Amino acid sequence: MTGGGAGGEVRALKWFRGRQKKLGAALGSGGAKGMAHLGVIQALAERGVAFDAVAGTSAGALVGALYARGYTPRDIGELLARLDYKNMALSVLLSKSLDPVRALLDDVLGQSEFPDLRLPFAAVATDAENGEEAVLSAGNVARAVLASCAMPPYFRPVAADGRRLVDGAFVNAVPGDVARALGADFVIGVALSPAERYRETTFAAADGTLVRAEQAGFAACDILLEPDLSAYSATSVLSGAQMFDIGYACAEARADEIVRALRERRIPLRS
């Protein structure tokens, strides 16, 4: 704030109105546990909390891309409920590739490129050659999401951004720093497993070298939600409704705190 007294306050308020603060989401990895993301987003939406930018890793990239495209949590839940998981899993596991999912995801996303999305979005993956973080925010969205989800050794790397990429959980499981880089002033993160597990991770690069990563993404979140999903695994695809409810309850329990923090920082709520 510049100046003193009433004049200084007026100038500061004019500056704020000219640059509305942004709220970012950092949606973490976790396979089928990603259904909890939908519960979190739904609970916050009911309190008027809507995100202006989204970064996601693995399952968080899938949910984040759909949200950035304009789907509501209920829409996404209905889409996922209609999937034939048995046949899809068989195709994916036999081919060791996520290619069988590509056409479906491209269709749902409208074959979107990143600029086609309604909100700024980025997906986090790991470079299979050297274990470095790859932040994807250009090109085909479905390809970026699949690269972020390609967990070895179950799936082969996905070619994207000129690199061979795999699941981003090895380098940035809850990408709060990426959400901030998208322009967010305040970031709410969602960790589908206890975030401290990600503080130090290792990845076996293509030449066999073990690359150690000290993850900082989750620490870049202003508020970190950690729904208790300890009874479920990344493959608990038939427990989506229960995990949605757990995510919802986790966000609802801290909704007053979140709304208060956003108001203090003058980040607008939606009616």
Side-chain angles (χ1 to χ4, degrees), residues 212-223:
R212 187 169 68 90
E214 295 183 5
Q215 297 197 20
F218 67 89
C221 300
D222 295 284
I223 290 179

Side-chain angles (χ1 to χ4, degrees), residues 6 28 67 69 93 102 111 114 119 123-124 132 142 153 182 189 200 209 227 236 270:
Y67 181 83
R69 177 64 178 168
L93 291 174
R102 171 71 185 275
Q111 299 186 356
F114 277 82
L119 300 176
V124 176
E132 293 180 354
L182 289 173
E200 291 189 6
T209 302
S236 298
R270 312 290 168 86

Side-chain angles (χ1 to χ4, degrees), residues 88-100 150-158:
M88 182 180 296
L90 184 61
S91 298
V92 167
L93 291 174
L94 286 176
S95 64
K96 283 199 171 184
S97 168
L98 289 170
D99 286 344
M151 174 62 74
Y154 306 106
F155 309 121
R156 292 194 297 270
V158 173

